[in-house]
Amino acid sequence: MAASEPPEPPPRSPVSRPVTARVPAKVNVQLAVGGLRPDGFHDLANVFLAVGLHDEVTAAPADALRITVEGADAAQVPLDRTNLAARAARALAERYGIEPGVHLHIAKDIPVAGGMAGGSADAAGALLACDALWGTQAPRAELLEICAELGSDIPFSLVGGVALGRGRGELLTPLETGGAFHWVFAVADGGLSTPAVYRECDRLREASGTGASAADVPDPEPSRALLDALRTGDATALAAAVSNDLQPAALSLRPALADTLRAGADAGALASLVSGSGPTCAFLAKGPEAAQAVATGLAASGTCRTVRVTSGPVPGARLVHA
Ligand code: ATP
């Protein structure tokens, strides 16, 4: 007897109450940057790890698209069409031929322009929340496609956990991990523009005589030692293997970050590195007590605005059920 097709799920209808999505920040435990491609991007071997700082995006029915933001960095977030959450909502609405009538409220806990993919988190959260609000029921693959069109880091915000990003970071392979890692983040005053940090990376490569184009720079490859350390959950081995090719550029644009990195190392961090394009600095600690000691040392050093203690990997964007 031929197997019968499973019945189609009934079409989901829009809901009239607000829907909230919770989305994590990320740290790049490896960020290997290839040469500048003719299209202006760089090929990457980008190992993302989602950590427990979250933004929450709430989508509520409205006559037109509107954004509000709360949180310490709220004033730095654009409220116009350029907001990544607004762009995500419009992209989903366009695909389904519907009006993007939605009020998006962002409760922002991820530092803005901090190298922790806060804008990407809001885009992934808006997509998930609007999908539920409008009943569009977009397949996961389609949500990931919209994410990749909107920005290189956005697919990871949806997926979370730990993943290797190839291409410009958007081609994701989830990775296994053997346990939780303990992190401390030193949040800086003011942000750094990601494109400006990539330009500085290219400038430093030109100035050093190696050249900055794809023909001059070796293809970026994931580190075997790093993948092994993640798989076994070995914090000491992970600390020995972390790397960030954007760190010299971030330090060149913001030399004071060297003091922050040193303060964390002096306070006992196993590894100190700039998170992505910075200026947030990330510190890996042996366990929860060591993380508290690193946080105390950083706070006392006066080399950063705020200190956050957390762990990861954590899951990607999720709907929050009231
Ligand atoms: P990444 O780590 O992905 O390079 P980032 O964490 O350094 O990014 P974001 O917080 O994503 O930086 O912000 C980068 C810029 O994007 C901000 O300066 C801001 O102008 C713009 N932006 C647009 N939408 C948002 C949003 N929802 N939240 C924060 N910034 C946004």
Side-chain angles (χ1 to χ4, degrees), residues 51-132:
V51 294
L53 305 186
H54 292 88
D55 280 0
E56 286 193 353
V57 182
T58 299
D63 291 339
L65 181 54
R66 187 162 80 87
I67 304 264
T68 50
V69 184
E70 68 174 89
D73 284 355
Q76 295 165 53
V77 178
L79 300 178
D80 59 10
R81 299 175 64 82
T82 64
N83 188 295
L84 280 163
R87 291 184 53 210
R90 274 201 311 274
L92 181 69
E94 259 165 37
R95 284 210 180 205
Y96 284 83
I98 54 181
E99 281 303 311
V102 63
H103 171 201
L104 294 171
H105 180 73
I106 303 171
K108 197 139 197 59
D109 195 35
I110 305 175
V112 174
M116 299 192 77
S120 300
D122 299 346
L127 209 50
L128 214 54
C130 288
D131 182 52

Coordinates of all heavy atoms in Angstrom, one line a residue, residues 51-132:
V51 N 25.5 34.1 23.2 CA 25.7 34.2 24.7 C 24.4 34.9 25.3 O 23.6 35.5 24.5 CB 26.9 35.1 25.0 CG1 28.2 34.4 24.6 CG2 26.8 36.5 24.4
G52 N 24.3 34.7 26.6 CA 23.1 35.1 27.3 C 22.8 36.6 27.6 O 22.3 36.9 28.6
L53 N 23.1 37.4 26.6 CA 22.6 38.8 26.6 C 21.5 38.8 25.6 O 21.8 38.4 24.4 CB 23.6 39.9 26.3 CG 24.9 39.9 27.1 CD1 25.7 41.1 26.7 CD2 24.6 40.0 28.6
H54 N 20.3 39.3 25.9 CA 19.2 39.2 24.9 C 18.5 40.6 24.7 O 18.4 41.4 25.6 CB 18.1 38.3 25.4 CG 18.6 36.8 25.5 ND1 19.2 36.3 26.6 CD2 18.5 35.8 24.6 CE1 19.5 35.0 26.4 NE2 19.1 34.7 25.2
D55 N 18.1 40.7 23.4 CA 17.1 41.8 23.1 C 15.7 41.1 23.0 O 15.7 39.9 22.6 CB 17.4 42.4 21.8 CG 18.4 43.5 21.9 OD1 19.0 43.7 23.0 OD2 18.8 44.1 20.8
E56 N 14.6 41.8 23.3 CA 13.3 41.3 23.1 C 12.6 42.2 22.1 O 12.6 43.4 22.3 CB 12.5 41.2 24.4 CG 13.0 40.0 25.3 CD 12.1 39.7 26.4 OE1 11.1 40.4 26.7 OE2 12.4 38.7 27.1
V57 N 12.0 41.6 21.1 CA 11.2 42.3 20.1 C 9.8 41.9 20.2 O 9.5 40.7 20.0 CB 11.8 42.0 18.6 CG1 11.1 42.9 17.6 CG2 13.3 42.3 18.6
T58 N 8.9 42.9 20.4 CA 7.5 42.6 20.5 C 6.8 43.2 19.3 O 7.0 44.4 19.0 CB 6.9 43.2 21.8 OG1 7.6 42.6 22.9 CG2 5.4 42.9 21.9
A59 N 6.0 42.4 18.6 CA 5.2 42.8 17.4 C 3.8 42.9 17.8 O 3.2 41.9 18.3 CB 5.4 41.9 16.3
A60 N 3.2 44.1 17.6 CA 1.7 44.3 17.9 C 1.0 44.8 16.7 O 1.6 45.6 16.0 CB 1.6 45.2 19.1
P61 N -0.2 44.5 16.5 CA -1.0 45.0 15.3 C -1.0 46.5 15.4 O -1.1 47.1 16.4 CB -2.4 44.5 15.5 CG -2.3 43.4 16.5 CD -1.1 43.7 17.4
A62 N -0.8 47.2 14.2 CA -0.9 48.6 14.1 C -1.3 49.0 12.7 O -1.2 48.1 11.8 CB 0.5 49.2 14.4
D63 N -1.7 50.3 12.5 CA -2.1 50.7 11.1 C -0.9 50.8 10.2 O -1.0 50.6 9.0 CB -2.8 52.0 11.2 CG -4.1 51.9 11.9 OD1 -4.6 50.8 11.9 OD2 -4.6 52.9 12.4
A64 N 0.3 51.1 10.7 CA 1.5 51.3 9.9 C 2.7 50.8 10.7 O 2.6 50.6 11.9 CB 1.7 52.8 9.5
L65 N 3.8 50.7 10.0 CA 5.0 50.2 10.6 C 5.6 51.3 11.6 O 5.8 52.5 11.1 CB 6.1 49.8 9.6 CG 7.4 49.3 10.0 CD1 7.3 48.1 11.0 CD2 8.3 48.9 8.9
R66 N 5.8 51.0 12.8 CA 6.3 51.9 13.8 C 7.3 51.2 14.7 O 7.1 50.0 15.0 CB 5.1 52.4 14.6 CG 5.3 53.5 15.6 CD 4.0 54.1 15.9 NE 3.3 53.3 17.0 CZ 3.4 53.5 18.3 NH1 4.3 54.4 18.7 NH2 2.8 52.8 19.1
I67 N 8.3 51.9 15.1 CA 9.4 51.3 16.0 C 9.5 52.1 17.3 O 9.6 53.4 17.2 CB 10.8 51.4 15.3 CG1 10.8 50.7 14.0 CG2 11.8 50.8 16.2 CD1 11.2 49.3 14.0
T68 N 9.5 51.5 18.4 CA 9.9 52.1 19.7 C 11.0 51.3 20.3 O 11.1 50.0 20.1 CB 8.7 52.3 20.6 OG1 8.1 51.0 20.8 CG2 7.8 53.3 20.2
V69 N 11.9 51.9 21.1 CA 13.0 51.2 21.7 C 13.2 51.6 23.2 O 13.1 52.8 23.5 CB 14.4 51.5 20.9 CG1 15.5 50.7 21.5 CG2 14.2 51.2 19.5
E70 N 13.4 50.7 24.0 CA 13.8 51.0 25.4 C 15.1 50.4 25.8 O 15.5 49.4 25.2 CB 12.7 50.6 26.4 CG 12.6 49.0 26.5 CD 11.6 48.5 27.6 OE1 10.5 48.4 27.2 OE2 12.1 48.3 28.7
G71 N 15.8 51.0 26.8 CA 17.1 50.4 27.2 C 18.2 51.5 27.2 O 17.9 52.6 26.7
A72 N 19.3 51.2 27.9 CA 20.3 52.2 28.1 C 20.8 52.8 26.8 O 21.2 54.0 26.8 CB 21.5 51.6 28.9
D73 N 20.9 52.0 25.7 CA 21.5 52.5 24.5 C 20.4 52.9 23.5 O 20.6 53.1 22.3 CB 22.3 51.4 23.8 CG 23.6 51.2 24.4 OD1 24.0 52.0 25.3 OD2 24.4 50.2 24.0
A74 N 19.1 53.1 24.0 CA 18.0 53.3 23.1 C 18.2 54.5 22.1 O 17.8 54.4 21.0 CB 16.7 53.5 23.9
A75 N 18.8 55.6 22.7 CA 19.0 56.8 21.9 C 19.8 56.6 20.6 O 19.8 57.4 19.7 CB 19.5 57.9 22.7
Q76 N 20.6 55.5 20.6 CA 21.5 55.3 19.5 C 20.9 54.4 18.4 O 21.5 54.1 17.4 CB 22.8 54.6 19.9 CG 23.7 55.4 20.9 CD 24.7 54.6 21.5 OE1 25.4 53.8 20.9 NE2 24.7 54.6 22.9
V77 N 19.7 54.0 18.6 CA 19.0 53.1 17.7 C 18.1 53.9 16.7 O 17.3 54.6 17.2 CB 18.2 52.0 18.4 CG1 17.5 51.1 17.4 CG2 19.1 51.2 19.4
P78 N 18.3 53.7 15.4 CA 17.5 54.5 14.5 C 16.0 54.0 14.5 O 15.8 52.8 14.7 CB 18.1 54.2 13.1 CG 18.9 52.9 13.3 CD 19.3 52.9 14.7
L79 N 15.1 55.0 14.4 CA 13.7 54.6 14.5 C 13.0 54.7 13.1 O 11.8 54.5 13.0 CB 12.9 55.6 15.5 CG 13.5 55.6 16.9 CD1 12.7 56.6 17.8 CD2 13.3 54.1 17.5
D80 N 13.8 54.9 12.1 CA 13.3 55.0 10.7 C 13.4 53.7 9.9 O 13.6 52.7 10.5 CB 14.0 56.2 10.0 CG 15.5 56.0 9.9 OD1 15.9 54.8 10.2 OD2 16.2 56.9 9.5
R81 N 13.3 53.9 8.6 CA 13.3 52.7 7.7 C 14.6 51.9 7.8 O 14.6 50.8 7.3 CB 13.1 53.1 6.3 CG 11.8 53.8 6.0 CD 11.7 54.3 4.6 NE 11.7 53.2 3.6 CZ 10.7 52.5 3.2 NH1 9.5 52.8 3.7 NH2 10.8 51.6 2.3
T82 N 15.7 52.5 8.3 CA 17.0 51.8 8.3 C 17.1 50.9 9.5 O 18.0 50.1 9.5 CB 18.1 52.8 8.4 OG1 18.0 53.5 9.7 CG2 18.1 53.9 7.3
N83 N 16.2 51.0 10.5 CA 16.2 50.0 11.6 C 16.1 48.6 11.0 O 15.2 48.3 10.2 CB 15.1 50.3 12.6 CG 15.3 49.5 13.8 OD1 15.2 48.2 13.8 ND2 15.5 50.1 14.9
L84 N 17.0 47.7 11.5 CA 17.1 46.4 10.9 C 15.8 45.6 11.2 O 15.4 44.7 10.4 CB 18.3 45.6 11.4 CG 19.6 46.0 10.7 CD1 20.8 45.6 11.5 CD2 19.6 45.3 9.3
A85 N 15.2 45.9 12.3 CA 13.9 45.2 12.7 C 12.8 45.6 11.7 O 12.0 44.8 11.2 CB 13.5 45.5 14.1
A86 N 12.8 46.9 11.3 CA 11.8 47.4 10.4 C 12.1 46.8 9.0 O 11.1 46.4 8.3 CB 11.9 48.9 10.3
R87 N 13.3 46.7 8.6 CA 13.7 46.1 7.3 C 13.3 44.7 7.2 O 12.8 44.2 6.2 CB 15.2 46.3 7.0 CG 15.6 47.7 6.8 CD 17.1 47.9 6.5 NE 17.4 47.0 5.4 CZ 18.6 46.5 5.2 NH1 19.6 46.7 6.0 NH2 18.8 45.7 4.1
A88 N 13.4 43.9 8.4 CA 13.0 42.5 8.4 C 11.5 42.4 8.2 O 11.0 41.5 7.5 CB 13.5 41.9 9.7
A89 N 10.8 43.2 9.0 CA 9.3 43.2 8.9 C 8.8 43.5 7.5 O 8.0 42.8 6.9 CB 8.7 44.2 9.9
R90 N 9.4 44.5 6.8 CA 9.0 44.8 5.5 C 9.4 43.7 4.5 O 8.6 43.4 3.6 CB 9.7 46.1 5.0 CG 8.9 47.4 5.4 CD 9.3 48.6 4.6 NE 10.8 48.7 4.5 CZ 11.5 49.4 5.4 NH1 10.9 50.0 6.4 NH2 12.8 49.5 5.3
A91 N 10.6 43.1 4.7 CA 11.0 42.0 3.8 C 10.0 40.8 3.8 O 9.6 40.3 2.8 CB 12.4 41.5 4.1
L92 N 9.5 40.5 5.0 CA 8.6 39.4 5.2 C 7.2 39.8 4.6 O 6.6 39.0 3.8 CB 8.4 39.0 6.7 CG 7.5 37.9 7.0 CD1 8.1 36.5 6.5 CD2 7.1 37.8 8.4
A93 N 6.8 41.0 4.8 CA 5.5 41.5 4.3 C 5.5 41.5 2.8 O 4.5 41.1 2.2 CB 5.2 42.9 4.9
E94 N 6.6 42.0 2.2 CA 6.7 42.0 0.7 C 6.6 40.6 0.1 O 5.8 40.4 -0.9 CB 8.0 42.6 0.3 CG 7.9 44.1 -0.1 CD 9.3 44.7 -0.1 OE1 10.3 44.1 -0.6 OE2 9.4 45.9 0.3
R95 N 7.3 39.6 0.7 CA 7.2 38.3 0.2 C 5.8 37.7 0.2 O 5.4 36.9 -0.6 CB 8.1 37.3 1.0 CG 9.5 37.5 0.7 CD 10.2 36.2 1.0 NE 11.6 36.4 0.7 CZ 12.5 35.5 0.3 NH1 12.0 34.2 0.2 NH2 13.7 35.7 0.1
Y96 N 5.0 38.1 1.2 CA 3.6 37.5 1.3 C 2.6 38.5 0.8 O 1.4 38.2 1.0 CB 3.4 37.1 2.8 CG 4.2 35.8 3.1 CD1 5.5 35.8 3.4 CD2 3.5 34.6 2.9 CE1 6.2 34.6 3.6 CE2 4.2 33.4 3.1 CZ 5.6 33.4 3.5 OH 6.3 32.3 3.7
G97 N 3.0 39.6 0.3 CA 2.0 40.5 -0.3 C 1.1 41.1 0.7 O -0.1 41.3 0.4
I98 N 1.6 41.4 1.9 CA 0.7 42.0 2.9 C 1.3 43.4 3.3 O 2.5 43.6 3.1 CB 0.5 41.1 4.1 CG1 1.9 40.7 4.7 CG2 -0.3 39.9 3.8 CD1 1.8 39.7 5.9
E99 N 0.4 44.1 3.9 CA 0.9 45.5 4.5 C 1.7 45.2 5.8 O 1.2 44.5 6.6 CB -0.3 46.3 4.7 CG -0.9 47.0 3.5 CD 0.1 47.8 2.7 OE1 0.8 48.6 3.3 OE2 0.2 47.6 1.5
P100 N 2.8 45.9 5.9 CA 3.6 45.7 7.2 C 3.0 46.5 8.3 O 3.8 47.3 8.9 CB 5.0 46.1 6.8 CG 4.8 47.1 5.7 CD 3.5 46.7 5.0
G101 N 1.7 46.4 8.6 CA 1.1 47.2 9.7 C 1.5 46.5 11.0 O 1.0 45.5 11.4
V102 N 2.5 47.1 11.7 CA 3.0 46.5 12.9 C 3.7 47.5 13.8 O 4.4 48.4 13.2 CB 3.9 45.3 12.6 CG1 5.2 45.7 11.9 CG2 4.3 44.5 13.9
H103 N 3.5 47.4 15.1 CA 4.3 48.2 16.0 C 5.4 47.3 16.6 O 5.0 46.3 17.2 CB 3.4 48.8 17.1 CG 4.2 49.4 18.2 ND1 3.7 49.6 19.5 CD2 5.5 49.9 18.3 CE1 4.6 50.2 20.3 NE2 5.7 50.4 19.5
L104 N 6.6 47.6 16.3 CA 7.7 46.8 16.8 C 8.3 47.5 18.0 O 8.8 48.7 17.9 CB 8.8 46.6 15.8 CG 8.4 45.8 14.5 CD1 9.5 45.8 13.5 CD2 8.1 44.3 14.9
H105 N 8.3 46.9 19.2 CA 8.9 47.5 20.3 C 10.2 46.6 20.7 O 10.1 45.4 20.9 CB 8.0 47.5 21.5 CG 8.6 48.1 22.7 ND1 8.9 49.5 22.8 CD2 9.1 47.6 23.9 CE1 9.5 49.7 24.0 NE2 9.7 48.6 24.6
I106 N 11.3 47.3 20.8 CA 12.6 46.6 21.1 C 13.0 46.9 22.5 O 13.3 48.1 22.8 CB 13.7 47.0 20.1 CG1 13.2 46.7 18.6 CG2 15.0 46.3 20.4 CD1 14.1 47.3 17.6
A107 N 13.1 45.9 23.3 CA 13.7 46.1 24.7 C 15.1 45.7 24.5 O 15.5 44.5 24.4 CB 13.0 45.2 25.7
K108 N 16.0 46.7 24.5 CA 17.4 46.5 24.1 C 18.3 46.3 25.3 O 18.5 47.2 26.1 CB 17.8 47.7 23.3 CG 19.0 47.4 22.5 CD 19.0 48.0 21.1 CE 20.0 47.4 20.2 NZ 19.9 46.0 20.0
D109 N 18.9 45.1 25.3 CA 19.9 44.8 26.3 C 21.3 44.6 25.7 O 22.3 44.6 26.4 CB 19.5 43.6 27.2 CG 20.3 43.5 28.5 OD1 20.6 44.6 29.1 OD2 20.6 42.4 28.9
I110 N 21.4 44.4 24.4 CA 22.6 44.1 23.7 C 23.2 45.5 23.3 O 22.5 46.3 22.8 CB 22.4 43.3 22.4 CG1 21.7 42.0 22.8 CG2 23.7 43.0 21.7 CD1 21.3 41.1 21.6
P111 N 24.5 45.7 23.7 CA 25.1 47.0 23.4 C 25.0 47.4 21.9 O 25.1 46.5 21.0 CB 26.6 46.8 23.7 CG 26.8 45.5 24.4 CD 25.5 44.8 24.3
V112 N 24.7 48.6 21.6 CA 24.6 49.1 20.2 C 25.9 49.3 19.6 O 26.8 49.9 20.2 CB 23.7 50.3 20.1 CG1 23.6 50.9 18.7 CG2 22.3 50.0 20.6
A113 N 26.1 48.9 18.3 CA 27.4 49.0 17.6 C 28.6 48.5 18.5 O 29.6 49.1 18.5 CB 27.6 50.4 17.2
G114 N 28.3 47.4 19.1 CA 29.3 46.8 20.1 C 30.0 45.6 19.6 O 30.8 45.0 20.4
G115 N 29.7 45.1 18.4 CA 30.4 43.9 17.9 C 29.7 42.7 18.4 O 30.3 41.6 18.5
M116 N 28.4 42.8 18.9 CA 27.7 41.6 19.5 C 26.4 41.3 18.7 O 25.6 40.6 19.1 CB 27.4 41.9 20.9 CG 28.7 42.0 21.8 SD 28.4 41.9 23.5 CE 28.2 40.2 23.8
A117 N 26.3 41.9 17.5 CA 25.2 41.6 16.5 C 23.9 42.0 17.1 O 22.9 41.3 16.9 CB 25.3 40.2 16.1
G118 N 23.8 43.1 17.8 CA 22.5 43.6 18.4 C 21.5 43.9 17.3 O 20.3 43.5 17.4
G119 N 21.9 44.6 16.3 CA 20.9 44.9 15.2 C 20.5 43.7 14.5 O 19.3 43.5 14.1
S120 N 21.4 42.7 14.3 CA 21.0 41.4 13.7 C 20.0 40.7 14.5 O 19.1 40.1 14.0 CB 22.3 40.6 13.5 OG 23.2 41.2 12.7
A121 N 20.2 40.7 15.8 CA 19.3 40.0 16.8 C 17.9 40.6 16.6 O 16.9 39.9 16.6 CB 19.8 40.2 18.2
D122 N 17.8 42.0 16.5 CA 16.5 42.6 16.4 C 15.8 42.2 15.0 O 14.6 42.1 15.0 CB 16.6 44.1 16.5 CG 17.2 44.5 17.8 OD1 17.2 43.7 18.7 OD2 17.6 45.7 18.0
A123 N 16.6 42.1 14.0 CA 16.1 41.7 12.7 C 15.5 40.3 12.8 O 14.4 40.0 12.3 CB 17.2 41.8 11.6
A124 N 16.3 39.4 13.4 CA 15.8 38.0 13.5 C 14.6 37.9 14.4 O 13.6 37.2 14.1 CB 16.9 37.1 14.1
G125 N 14.6 38.7 15.5 CA 13.4 38.7 16.4 C 12.2 39.3 15.7 O 11.1 38.7 15.9
A126 N 12.3 40.3 14.9 CA 11.2 41.0 14.2 C 10.6 40.0 13.2 O 9.4 39.9 13.1 CB 11.6 42.2 13.5
L127 N 11.5 39.3 12.5 CA 11.0 38.3 11.5 C 10.2 37.2 12.2 O 9.1 36.9 11.7 CB 12.3 37.7 10.9 CG 12.2 37.2 9.5 CD1 11.7 38.2 8.6 CD2 13.6 36.8 9.0
L128 N 10.7 36.7 13.3 CA 10.0 35.6 14.0 C 8.6 36.1 14.6 O 7.6 35.4 14.5 CB 10.9 35.1 15.1 CG 10.8 33.6 15.4 CD1 11.1 32.8 14.2 CD2 11.9 33.3 16.5
A129 N 8.7 37.3 15.2 CA 7.5 37.8 15.8 C 6.4 38.2 14.8 O 5.2 37.9 15.0 CB 7.9 39.0 16.7
C130 N 6.9 38.8 13.7 CA 5.9 39.2 12.6 C 5.3 37.9 12.0 O 4.1 37.9 11.6 CB 6.5 40.1 11.6 SG 6.9 41.7 12.2
D131 N 6.1 36.9 11.8 CA 5.7 35.7 11.2 C 4.5 35.1 12.0 O 3.5 34.6 11.5 CB 6.8 34.7 11.1 CG 6.4 33.4 10.4 OD1 5.9 33.4 9.3 OD2 6.7 32.3 11.0
A132 N 4.7 35.2 13.3 CA 3.6 34.7 14.2 C 2.4 35.6 14.2 O 1.3 35.1 14.2 CB 4.2 34.5 15.6

